Amino acid sequence: MELMLTVIAVLQAYAIGSISFAVIFSNAFAKKDVSNFVSGNAGATNVMRAFGVLPGVLTFLCDAAKGFVACMVGKLIFTYLSAHYSATLFVPVYGALLCGVFCMLGHVFPVFFGFKGGKAVAVAVGIFYVSNWQVISLALGIFLIVLLISKIVSVASLSATVALFVSMLVFRPAGNVFVIASLTFIMCATVFLKHTENIKRLLKGQEKAIFKTTKKEH
């Protein structure tokens, strides 16, 4: 029973993560696929640059919501398992973080949209709101401060990701530090890997500020 429920938890997380709201809203507002515009990334920032603030904000909110829902289901399943099986193995936050990993993988490699997804920043907001709302609140604060200073979303996103990982270790919820650190690291590393091209452009001084342009990049 515990194995079956764990499998259900991770599969629902991947399936929910695979819903690409960037593609959905770009088609709904402009009848165009966002992956063909600007950076080609299926994420909130690219939707905002290509089609405007409203679809971009909706994409961000819905991506965050899917992370929240997927991880809340995982947390609830592990809460049930901890009450009926091993309380040390099925810690609720483990369920949230484990589902967070699979939700993020679904977002980055969505099975419903040709495995071409976003960079997982927005979905991480929902994931860590369930896992540790204090930590994600701190990370969002760092994001906004760095964005106001740099005007570059990738710099703000990467700064917030580092802050999130460090603060998750410092203010970690109850549970084994290795398990929490490992699952958190996988998600933070995924965000960094998805920003590889951004990092290259930053090192060359070529990364664009938000709203800099809506022209297609090659």
Side-chain angles (χ1 to χ4, degrees):
M1 174 64 74
E2 60 266 38
L3 177 60
M4 181 183 72
L5 288 176
T6 301
V7 171
I8 290 173
V10 298
L11 288 180
Q12 66 83 27
Y14 178 78
I16 291 174
S18 290
I19 302 171
S20 181
F21 287 105
V23 175
I24 291 171
F25 285 124
S26 64
N27 276 293
F29 279 85
K31 300 189 185 304
K32 296 176 181 178
D33 187 343
V34 70
S35 60
N36 296 322
F37 291 83
V38 196
S39 68
N41 179 61
T45 301
N46 201 40
V47 172
M48 188 177 295
R49 280 176 168 154
F51 306 117
V53 173
L54 180 58
V57 170
L58 288 174
T59 299
F60 179 89
L61 293 175
C62 289
D63 280 348
K66 72 182 182 184
F68 179 89
V69 171
C71 293
M72 184 57 74
V73 171
K75 185 176 183 178
L76 292 173
I77 287 176
F78 269 51
T79 298
Y80 170 82
L81 291 174
S82 68
H84 293 81
Y85 297 96
S86 171
T88 57
L89 180 61
F90 297 106
V91 178
V93 73
Y94 296 173
L97 291 172
L98 180 63
C99 284
V101 170
F102 280 86
C103 182
M104 190 171 284
L105 288 175
H107 180 78
V108 173
F109 306 109
V111 66
F112 308 128
F113 295 89
F115 300 99
K116 296 179 181 179
K119 296 180 180 178
V121 174
V123 73
V125 174
I127 290 169
F128 284 95
Y129 189 85
V130 175
S131 306
N132 192 331
W133 69 267
Q134 296 96 331
V135 165
I136 194 58
S137 298
L138 174 63
L140 283 172
I142 297 295
F143 176 89
L144 291 173
I145 291 170
V146 176
L147 182 61
L148 287 171
I149 294 171
S150 69
K151 305 294 191 299
I152 300 175
V153 174
S154 59
V155 173
S157 298
L158 295 173
S159 300
T161 301
V162 173
L164 188 150
F165 180 72
V166 173
S167 58
M168 191 68 172
L169 297 182
V170 176
F171 306 107
R172 71 180 184 277
N176 183 280
V177 62
F178 178 76
V179 174
I180 293 172
S182 297
L183 293 172
T184 303
F185 177 79
I186 291 170
M187 287 184 275
C188 291
T190 299
V191 172
F192 263 80
L193 287 173
K194 286 295 294 182
H195 281 80
T196 299
E197 293 304 316
N198 301 85
I199 294 171
K200 289 179 180 178
R201 289 195 294 270
L202 284 169
L203 293 174
K204 296 177 181 177
Q206 298 174 349
E207 184 74 329
K208 294 182 176 67
I210 191 169
F211 301 130
K212 182 74 174 180
T213 181
T214 57
K215 294 180 180 179
K216 186 175 180 180
E217 297 175 356
H218 299 283

Short mmCIF file of all heavy atoms in Angstrom, two decimals, residues 70-105:
data_model
loop_
_atom_site.label_atom_id
_atom_site.label_comp_id
_atom_site.label_asym_id
_atom_site.label_seq_id
_atom_site.Cartn_x
_atom_site.Cartn_y
_atom_site.Cartn_z
N ALA A 70 0.43 19.90 -6.61
CA ALA A 70 1.16 18.63 -6.70
C ALA A 70 1.83 18.29 -5.38
O ALA A 70 1.80 17.14 -4.92
CB ALA A 70 2.20 18.71 -7.82
N CYS A 71 2.44 19.28 -4.74
CA CYS A 71 3.16 19.03 -3.50
C CYS A 71 2.23 18.88 -2.31
O CYS A 71 2.53 18.13 -1.37
CB CYS A 71 4.17 20.15 -3.24
SG CYS A 71 5.48 20.14 -4.45
N MET A 72 1.10 19.56 -2.32
CA MET A 72 0.13 19.39 -1.25
C MET A 72 -0.44 17.97 -1.26
O MET A 72 -0.64 17.36 -0.20
CB MET A 72 -1.00 20.41 -1.39
CG MET A 72 -2.02 20.37 -0.26
SD MET A 72 -1.26 20.61 1.38
CE MET A 72 -0.92 22.37 1.32
N VAL A 73 -0.68 17.44 -2.45
CA VAL A 73 -1.14 16.05 -2.55
C VAL A 73 -0.08 15.11 -1.97
O VAL A 73 -0.39 14.19 -1.20
CB VAL A 73 -1.45 15.68 -4.02
CG1 VAL A 73 -1.71 14.17 -4.14
CG2 VAL A 73 -2.64 16.46 -4.53
N GLY A 74 1.19 15.34 -2.33
CA GLY A 74 2.27 14.52 -1.80
C GLY A 74 2.39 14.62 -0.29
O GLY A 74 2.60 13.62 0.40
N LYS A 75 2.23 15.83 0.22
CA LYS A 75 2.32 16.05 1.67
C LYS A 75 1.18 15.32 2.39
O LYS A 75 1.39 14.69 3.44
CB LYS A 75 2.26 17.54 1.96
CG LYS A 75 2.46 17.90 3.43
CD LYS A 75 2.50 19.41 3.61
CE LYS A 75 2.77 19.78 5.07
NZ LYS A 75 2.85 21.26 5.23
N LEU A 76 -0.02 15.39 1.83
CA LEU A 76 -1.17 14.73 2.44
C LEU A 76 -1.03 13.21 2.40
O LEU A 76 -1.37 12.51 3.37
CB LEU A 76 -2.46 15.16 1.74
CG LEU A 76 -2.88 16.62 1.94
CD1 LEU A 76 -4.07 16.97 1.07
CD2 LEU A 76 -3.18 16.90 3.40
N ILE A 77 -0.53 12.69 1.29
CA ILE A 77 -0.33 11.24 1.19
C ILE A 77 0.70 10.76 2.20
O ILE A 77 0.50 9.75 2.89
CB ILE A 77 0.09 10.86 -0.25
CG1 ILE A 77 -1.10 10.97 -1.20
CG2 ILE A 77 0.66 9.43 -0.28
CD1 ILE A 77 -0.78 10.72 -2.65
N PHE A 78 1.80 11.51 2.35
CA PHE A 78 2.83 11.13 3.31
C PHE A 78 2.35 11.34 4.76
O PHE A 78 2.80 10.63 5.67
CB PHE A 78 4.13 11.89 3.04
CG PHE A 78 5.05 11.17 2.11
CD1 PHE A 78 4.60 10.69 0.89
CD2 PHE A 78 6.38 10.96 2.44
CE1 PHE A 78 5.44 10.02 0.02
CE2 PHE A 78 7.24 10.28 1.58
CZ PHE A 78 6.77 9.81 0.36
N THR A 79 1.47 12.28 4.97
CA THR A 79 0.87 12.45 6.30
C THR A 79 0.06 11.22 6.67
O THR A 79 0.13 10.71 7.81
CB THR A 79 -0.03 13.70 6.34
OG1 THR A 79 0.76 14.86 6.06
CG2 THR A 79 -0.69 13.85 7.70
N TYR A 80 -0.70 10.72 5.71
CA TYR A 80 -1.47 9.49 5.92
C TYR A 80 -0.54 8.30 6.17
O TYR A 80 -0.74 7.52 7.10
CB TYR A 80 -2.36 9.22 4.71
CG TYR A 80 -3.01 7.85 4.73
CD1 TYR A 80 -4.17 7.63 5.46
CD2 TYR A 80 -2.43 6.78 4.04
CE1 TYR A 80 -4.76 6.37 5.49
CE2 TYR A 80 -3.01 5.52 4.07
CZ TYR A 80 -4.17 5.31 4.80
OH TYR A 80 -4.75 4.07 4.84
N LEU A 81 0.50 8.18 5.34
CA LEU A 81 1.43 7.05 5.48
C LEU A 81 2.19 7.10 6.79
O LEU A 81 2.45 6.06 7.41
CB LEU A 81 2.41 7.05 4.30
CG LEU A 81 1.82 6.70 2.93
CD1 LEU A 81 2.87 6.88 1.83
CD2 LEU A 81 1.29 5.27 2.93
N SER A 82 2.54 8.30 7.24
CA SER A 82 3.28 8.42 8.51
C SER A 82 2.43 7.98 9.69
O SER A 82 2.95 7.51 10.71
CB SER A 82 3.76 9.86 8.71
OG SER A 82 2.66 10.73 8.95
N ALA A 83 1.11 8.14 9.56
CA ALA A 83 0.20 7.75 10.65
C ALA A 83 -0.06 6.25 10.67
O ALA A 83 -0.41 5.69 11.71
CB ALA A 83 -1.12 8.50 10.51
N HIS A 84 0.14 5.59 9.52
CA HIS A 84 -0.19 4.16 9.44
C HIS A 84 1.01 3.25 9.24
O HIS A 84 0.91 2.04 9.44
CB HIS A 84 -1.18 3.94 8.28
CG HIS A 84 -2.52 4.54 8.51
ND1 HIS A 84 -2.79 5.88 8.29
CD2 HIS A 84 -3.69 4.00 8.97
CE1 HIS A 84 -4.06 6.13 8.58
NE2 HIS A 84 -4.62 5.01 8.99
N TYR A 85 2.15 3.83 8.87
CA TYR A 85 3.33 3.00 8.63
C TYR A 85 4.51 3.57 9.42
O TYR A 85 4.46 3.67 10.63
CB TYR A 85 3.62 2.90 7.13
CG TYR A 85 2.50 2.22 6.38
CD1 TYR A 85 1.50 2.97 5.75
CD2 TYR A 85 2.40 0.83 6.33
CE1 TYR A 85 0.45 2.35 5.08
CE2 TYR A 85 1.35 0.19 5.66
CZ TYR A 85 0.38 0.96 5.04
OH TYR A 85 -0.66 0.35 4.39
N SER A 86 5.58 4.00 8.75
CA SER A 86 6.76 4.50 9.45
C SER A 86 6.74 6.03 9.52
O SER A 86 6.82 6.70 8.50
CB SER A 86 8.03 4.03 8.74
OG SER A 86 9.17 4.68 9.27
N ALA A 87 6.67 6.55 10.75
CA ALA A 87 6.63 8.01 10.92
C ALA A 87 7.97 8.65 10.59
O ALA A 87 8.03 9.85 10.29
CB ALA A 87 6.23 8.35 12.36
N THR A 88 9.06 7.88 10.64
CA THR A 88 10.38 8.43 10.32
C THR A 88 10.67 8.38 8.83
O THR A 88 11.45 9.19 8.32
CB THR A 88 11.48 7.66 11.07
OG1 THR A 88 11.41 6.27 10.74
CG2 THR A 88 11.32 7.82 12.57
N LEU A 89 10.04 7.45 8.12
CA LEU A 89 10.28 7.33 6.68
C LEU A 89 9.35 8.24 5.89
O LEU A 89 9.77 8.90 4.95
CB LEU A 89 10.07 5.87 6.24
CG LEU A 89 10.28 5.57 4.75
CD1 LEU A 89 11.71 5.90 4.32
CD2 LEU A 89 9.97 4.10 4.46
N PHE A 90 8.09 8.29 6.30
CA PHE A 90 7.09 9.06 5.56
C PHE A 90 6.80 10.40 6.25
O PHE A 90 5.67 10.68 6.64
CB PHE A 90 5.81 8.24 5.39
CG PHE A 90 6.00 6.99 4.58
CD1 PHE A 90 6.01 5.74 5.18
CD2 PHE A 90 6.20 7.07 3.21
CE1 PHE A 90 6.19 4.59 4.44
CE2 PHE A 90 6.38 5.93 2.44
CZ PHE A 90 6.39 4.68 3.05
N VAL A 91 7.85 11.20 6.40
CA VAL A 91 7.69 12.54 6.95
C VAL A 91 6.95 13.40 5.91
O VAL A 91 7.31 13.37 4.73
CB VAL A 91 9.06 13.17 7.28
CG1 VAL A 91 8.90 14.58 7.82
CG2 VAL A 91 9.81 12.28 8.27
N PRO A 92 5.92 14.13 6.30
CA PRO A 92 5.12 14.90 5.32
C PRO A 92 5.94 15.80 4.40
O PRO A 92 5.65 15.88 3.20
CB PRO A 92 4.19 15.71 6.22
CG PRO A 92 3.98 14.83 7.40
CD PRO A 92 5.31 14.17 7.64
N VAL A 93 6.99 16.45 4.92
CA VAL A 93 7.78 17.33 4.07
C VAL A 93 8.55 16.55 3.01
O VAL A 93 8.83 17.07 1.93
CB VAL A 93 8.74 18.21 4.91
CG1 VAL A 93 9.91 17.39 5.46
CG2 VAL A 93 9.25 19.39 4.08
N TYR A 94 8.87 15.28 3.30
CA TYR A 94 9.51 14.44 2.29
C TYR A 94 8.56 14.26 1.10
O TYR A 94 8.99 14.29 -0.06
CB TYR A 94 9.87 13.06 2.83
CG TYR A 94 10.90 13.02 3.93
CD1 TYR A 94 11.18 11.81 4.59
CD2 TYR A 94 11.59 14.16 4.33
CE1 TYR A 94 12.13 11.75 5.60
CE2 TYR A 94 12.53 14.10 5.35
CZ TYR A 94 12.80 12.89 5.98
OH TYR A 94 13.72 12.82 6.99
N GLY A 95 7.29 14.04 1.41
CA GLY A 95 6.30 13.88 0.34
C GLY A 95 6.18 15.12 -0.50
O GLY A 95 6.07 15.05 -1.74
N ALA A 96 6.19 16.28 0.17
CA ALA A 96 6.10 17.55 -0.56
C ALA A 96 7.30 17.75 -1.47
O ALA A 96 7.16 18.12 -2.64
CB ALA A 96 5.96 18.70 0.43
N LEU A 97 8.50 17.52 -0.92
CA LEU A 97 9.72 17.75 -1.70
C LEU A 97 9.89 16.71 -2.82
O LEU A 97 10.33 17.04 -3.92
CB LEU A 97 10.94 17.72 -0.78
CG LEU A 97 11.06 18.91 0.19
CD1 LEU A 97 12.19 18.68 1.19
CD2 LEU A 97 11.29 20.21 -0.57
N LEU A 98 9.54 15.46 -2.52
CA LEU A 98 9.64 14.42 -3.55
C LEU A 98 8.71 14.73 -4.71
O LEU A 98 9.09 14.65 -5.88
CB LEU A 98 9.30 13.05 -2.94
CG LEU A 98 9.36 11.85 -3.90
CD1 LEU A 98 10.77 11.66 -4.43
CD2 LEU A 98 8.87 10.58 -3.20
N CYS A 99 7.49 15.12 -4.40
CA CYS A 99 6.56 15.51 -5.45
C CYS A 99 7.02 16.79 -6.14
O CYS A 99 6.76 16.99 -7.33
CB CYS A 99 5.16 15.68 -4.87
SG CYS A 99 4.34 14.11 -4.52
N GLY A 100 7.72 17.64 -5.38
CA GLY A 100 8.29 18.84 -5.99
C GLY A 100 9.29 18.51 -7.08
O GLY A 100 9.29 19.13 -8.14
N VAL A 101 10.14 17.52 -6.82
CA VAL A 101 11.11 17.09 -7.82
C VAL A 101 10.41 16.62 -9.09
O VAL A 101 10.76 17.02 -10.21
CB VAL A 101 12.01 15.96 -7.27
CG1 VAL A 101 12.86 15.34 -8.38
CG2 VAL A 101 12.91 16.49 -6.15
N PHE A 102 9.38 15.78 -8.93
CA PHE A 102 8.70 15.24 -10.10
C PHE A 102 7.81 16.27 -10.80
O PHE A 102 7.67 16.25 -12.02
CB PHE A 102 7.88 14.00 -9.70
CG PHE A 102 8.72 12.76 -9.60
CD1 PHE A 102 9.38 12.46 -8.42
CD2 PHE A 102 8.88 11.92 -10.68
CE1 PHE A 102 10.19 11.33 -8.31
CE2 PHE A 102 9.68 10.79 -10.59
CZ PHE A 102 10.34 10.49 -9.40
N CYS A 103 7.25 17.19 -10.02
CA CYS A 103 6.47 18.27 -10.64
C CYS A 103 7.39 19.15 -11.47
O CYS A 103 7.05 19.57 -12.58
CB CYS A 103 5.77 19.08 -9.55
SG CYS A 103 4.74 20.42 -10.19
N MET A 104 8.58 19.43 -10.93
CA MET A 104 9.54 20.25 -11.65
C MET A 104 10.02 19.54 -12.92
O MET A 104 10.18 20.16 -13.98
CB MET A 104 10.73 20.59 -10.75
CG MET A 104 11.66 21.63 -11.33
SD MET A 104 12.90 22.22 -10.15
CE MET A 104 11.91 23.31 -9.12
N LEU A 105 10.24 18.23 -12.82
CA LEU A 105 10.64 17.47 -14.01
C LEU A 105 9.53 17.50 -15.06
O LEU A 105 9.80 17.59 -16.26
CB LEU A 105 10.97 16.03 -13.63
CG LEU A 105 12.26 15.81 -12.84
CD1 LEU A 105 12.39 14.35 -12.42
CD2 LEU A 105 13.47 16.23 -13.67
#
